[in-house]
Amino acid sequence: MGKTQIGPTTLVYPMPTTLVGADVDGKPNFLAIAWCGIACSQPPMLSVALQPRRYTLRGIKQNMAFSVNVPSVDLVKEADYCGIRSGDKVDKVGVCNFRVFYGNVEGAPLIEQCPVNLACRVVQMLELGSHWLIVGRIEETHVSDDCLTDGRPDVDKVRPFIFIPGPPAHYQAFGDVIARAFSVGLEMER
Amino acid sequence: MGKTQIGPTTLVYPMPTTLVGADVDGKPNFLAIAWCGIACSQPPMLSVALQPRRYTLRGIKQNMAFSVNVPSVDLVKEADYCGIRSGDKVDKVGVCNFRVFYGNVEGAPLIEQCPVNLACRVVQMLELGSHWLIVGRIEETHVSDDCLTDGRPDVDKVRPFIFIPGPPAHYQAFGDVIARAFSVGLEMER
């Protein structure tokens, strides 16, 4: 099987589509970000990568807090819009009709319509180059009641989606379950 | 719409299934990791989160290098196996029949059967708690020739999959394309 080098590039599948929120000058704003990863289990932490020019980053620095909201496929237009326009120019909350609520993390606005909402406090900021990597401690996780099954988050009800860089860049839904984790691999030992 | 707090937890959808590789004491080993995120565009960087006890981490520290390999759905058993067993006990490369190759990053073994392979050099290691966040500069990106269309990576040919923490933890394929990115959001302004 042949391989082609396409130059060093950020090609990992899948990346999520998240809406990262912060209060900027006291008003909630949200930015669509695919570059979000989990960083630690205990304490729970995640990372998001933003360009330093981002309006949202101004708010993150003001409060040293931010949110990560996971939209469902129903919100694909709104999510994409939050990746096209800047909060410096438009009121994204108004245009998208987001109902914003807060937990106990000041400066971390949460979107009611998004099934999963994480409120985070900044732990570290790494200036890496074109992007800053913000590591946040997850202080709260909120899940919409209608996305729970037996009290636990149910991905079939959350219906998140994938960002594919393309070209053409696009969004994909989740597909079929293919295997049980921490289980199917045991077949390798048979 | 009601919300329930499920305690602070690392709930972001989707997370990828990657095989992170390193030469440990001179021999290639691979660990299944879902906690991988992109960290920077210029220079290209990514992050992976590992528990400090991981055998693979020993190799990463020895060479200050590692790889990230994106498996296709055909490799779900092998990928899962690499998340169940430790390289301290078994030869995962042998059990999984991985064909290993190297680019120019010493200590970063790449899996030929995985459609996408990134070779990385360590830039930072953050000791966050239960996990270390390793930030790596992506030095090389290799793509299997049969996963290219017009010279570009084609996700329909790569056929990566998603890790869902559950319970029960499982893997899901990618589903339908739902919208064009940086485009569908403009409908919000109509």
Side-chain angles (χ1 to χ4, degrees), chain A residues 7-89:
Chain A
T9 187
T10 55
L11 188 69
V12 177
Y13 300 107
M15 287 295 116
T17 306
T18 69
L19 292 172
V20 171
D23 282 356
V24 187
D25 301 332
K27 282 186 61 180
N29 186 61
F30 297 92
L31 172 64
I33 284 192
W35 292 2
C36 173
I38 305 299
C40 190
S41 171
Q42 292 297 335
M45 295 187 192
L46 55 72
S47 67
V48 294
L50 291 88
Q51 296 178 62
R53 67 181 171 83
R54 290 293 181 195
Y55 186 70
T56 303
L57 185 57
R58 193 195 303 180
I60 294 176
K61 288 193 278 188
Q62 285 171 353
N63 299 290
M64 291 300 275
F66 62 99
S67 67
V68 173
N69 302 270
V70 180
S72 68
V73 292
D74 298 331
L75 293 170
V76 65
K77 282 184 197 172
E78 288 82 353
D80 192 54
Y81 179 76
C82 290
I84 295 174
R85 296 294 181 232
S86 171
D88 199 17
K89 301 271 195 318

Side-chain angles (χ1 to χ4, degrees), chain A residues 1-18 34-50 68 70 73 76-78 80-81 83-85 90 95-97 99 101 103-104 111-118 123-124 126 128-133 135 138-146 148 151-156 158 160-164 166-189, chain B residues 1-18 35-50 68 70 73 76-78 80-81 83-85 90 95-97 99 101 103-104 111-118 123-124 126 128-133 135 138-146 148 151-156 158 160-164 166-189:
Chain A
M1 192 200 308
K3 292 275 181 179
T4 296
Q5 282 204 45
I6 58 168
T9 187
T10 55
L11 188 69
V12 177
Y13 300 107
M15 287 295 116
T17 306
T18 69
W35 292 2
C36 173
I38 305 299
C40 190
S41 171
Q42 292 297 335
M45 295 187 192
L46 55 72
S47 67
V48 294
L50 291 88
V68 173
V70 180
V73 292
V76 65
K77 282 184 197 172
E78 288 82 353
D80 192 54
Y81 179 76
I84 295 174
R85 296 294 181 232
V90 298
V95 171
C96 296
N97 289 308
R99 292 186 297 273
F101 70 106
N104 288 316
I111 301 172
E112 190 180 306
Q113 293 102 319
C114 288
V116 177
N117 319 97
L118 310 178
V123 171
Q124 297 217 29
L126 305 181
L128 296 177
S130 65
H131 288 68
W132 287 23
L133 190 70
V135 180
I138 302 164
E139 302 285 352
E140 294 175 357
T141 303
H142 303 256
V143 180
S144 297
D145 289 337
D146 58 3
L148 296 169
R152 292 171 177 155
D154 184 334
V155 66
D156 290 339
V158 174
F161 54 93
I162 304 161
F163 173 72
I164 307 284
H170 63 273
Y171 303 108
Q172 281 184 229
F174 285 26
D176 296 334
V177 172
I178 55 169
R180 188 85 172 256
F182 311 118
S183 168
V184 69
L186 296 173
E187 295 180 22
M188 296 301 297
E189 292 179 337
Chain B
M1 192 198 308
K3 293 274 180 180
T4 295
Q5 282 203 45
I6 58 168
T9 189
T10 54
L11 189 69
V12 177
Y13 299 107
M15 287 294 117
T17 305
T18 68
W35 292 2
C36 173
I38 305 299
C40 190
S41 171
Q42 292 297 334
M45 295 187 192
L46 54 73
S47 67
V48 294
L50 290 88
V68 174
V70 180
V73 292
V76 67
K77 283 183 197 173
E78 288 81 354
D80 193 53
Y81 178 77
I84 295 175
R85 296 296 182 226
V90 298
V95 171
C96 295
N97 288 309
R99 292 186 297 273
F101 71 105
N104 288 318
I111 301 172
E112 190 181 307
Q113 292 102 320
C114 288
V116 176
N117 319 96
L118 310 178
V123 171
Q124 298 217 30
L126 306 182
L128 296 177
S130 66
H131 288 68
W132 287 22
L133 190 69
V135 180
I138 303 164
E139 301 285 351
E140 293 176 356
T141 303
H142 303 257
V143 180
S144 297
D145 289 337
D146 58 3
L148 297 170
R152 292 172 177 154
D154 184 333
V155 66
D156 290 339
V158 173
F161 54 94
I162 304 161
F163 173 73
I164 307 284
H170 63 272
Y171 303 107
Q172 281 184 228
F174 286 27
D176 295 335
V177 172
I178 56 169
R180 189 84 172 256
F182 311 118
S183 168
V184 69
L186 295 174
E187 294 179 22
M188 295 301 297
E189 293 179 337

